[in-house]
Amino acid sequence: MILNNQNELVLKAKAVLESLESGNPKAITNYIHPDQYVQHNLALSNGRAAMLGALDHLKEIGTKVSIKRILADGDYVALHSEYDFFGPKIGFDIFRFENGLIVEHWDNLQDRVEKTPSHHTMIDGPVMIKDIDKTDANKVVVKSYVENILLGKNPDLLTSYFAGDQYIQHSPHIADGLSGLGAALQGLKAKNIEFQYTQVHQVIGQGDFVLTASEGLFDGEPTAFYDLFRVEDGKIAEHWDVIEAILPVEKRKNSNSRF
């Protein structure tokens, strides 16, 4: 029963996202709550009407959406997608459901980088979810990593989260391996670029994939960090991310929290 319900939520979330390309309002009208839709994208007005009102313009400018990965975790569905929206971008969207309707949305969007140090793209790699029975354990591993390493609670544990230097990296400015991560962090430090996570807000997982949504600072700007991890045999094996600056208050179109 739970699995069937999750499949239904996945189909609804997928349909809503794909409507941004098609311009067809049916999915938004049918699957988003008419009165209780909380929008955390600060560039959009609150409520369902803002999404419906944007459809014609999105279709006019040729918006494209290609969904690569979908995670379902309780009432949450997270999607990892490639967009063509004022240029090629990579994005994460998170929808929260109540009684079968979407009542809340978060997202993060970043320009796609074509040439990366790892020679992987920002979105390629495995898409099939495995190890469903390890979902809870994998969420514990990833949350621990984000808190101890990225938030800096216990950085000495870094190597314990990886199987040696075997680490596939899709972040656009970091090479493969734990060594690549270390080199990137040293490079930021040498340039006096501040890179700091301050709080993890969401941990959404299914099987071997776990997505975290965190806030922090990048080069002095308040920033949203979305990190997707693939866990294999209790170790972090692969990583994708999307980093987006948080709009300043004077540019926001709603008063909700970014997280």
Side-chain angles (χ1 to χ4, degrees), residues 94-110:
I94 300 172
F95 294 103
R96 185 175 69 84
F97 287 79
E98 280 184 8
N99 300 317
L101 291 178
I102 296 170
V103 295
E104 204 160 5
H105 170 255
W106 301 259
D107 66 358
N108 229 33
L109 203 62
Q110 181 178 351

Side-chain angles (χ1 to χ4, degrees), residues 6-23:
Q6 283 191 330
N7 288 340
E8 180 183 324
L9 301 188
V10 164
L11 291 174
K12 290 177 178 180
K14 185 172 181 287
V16 166
L17 214 57
E18 289 175 342
S19 71
L20 304 183
E21 175 177 330
S22 71

Side-chain angles (χ1 to χ4, degrees), residues 4-121:
N4 288 339
N5 182 59
Q6 283 191 330
N7 288 340
E8 180 183 324
L9 301 188
V10 164
L11 291 174
K12 290 177 178 180
K14 185 172 181 287
V16 166
L17 214 57
E18 289 175 342
S19 71
L20 304 183
E21 175 177 330
S22 71
N24 188 334
K26 184 177 178 180
I28 294 174
T29 301
N30 289 346
Y31 305 141
I32 293 181
H33 198 290
D35 307 312
Q36 299 175 21
Y37 182 58
V38 180
Q39 177 63 262
H40 294 274
N41 182 324
L42 301 177
L44 291 174
S45 299
N46 204 40
R48 187 178 75 175
M51 283 192 71
L52 288 169
L55 286 181
D56 286 346
H57 179 63
L58 291 173
K59 187 175 182 181
E60 183 182 320
I61 64 174
T63 298
K64 301 292 181 186
V65 182
S66 176
I67 300 167
K68 300 297 183 183
R69 295 173 186 86
I70 305 179
L71 315 181
D73 187 351
D75 293 326
Y76 292 82
V77 176
L79 305 96
H80 188 200
S81 308
E82 190 166 14
Y83 284 88
D84 193 335
F85 171 73
F86 297 109
K89 292 177 172 61
I90 305 298
F92 285 104
D93 290 89
I94 300 172
F95 294 103
R96 185 175 69 84
F97 287 79
E98 280 184 8
N99 300 317
L101 291 178
I102 296 170
V103 295
E104 204 160 5
H105 170 255
W106 301 259
D107 66 358
N108 229 33
L109 203 62
Q110 181 178 351
D111 289 339
R112 188 180 72 200
V113 174
E114 297 297 336
K115 293 184 178 180
T116 68
S118 67
H119 304 294
H120 306 296
T121 75

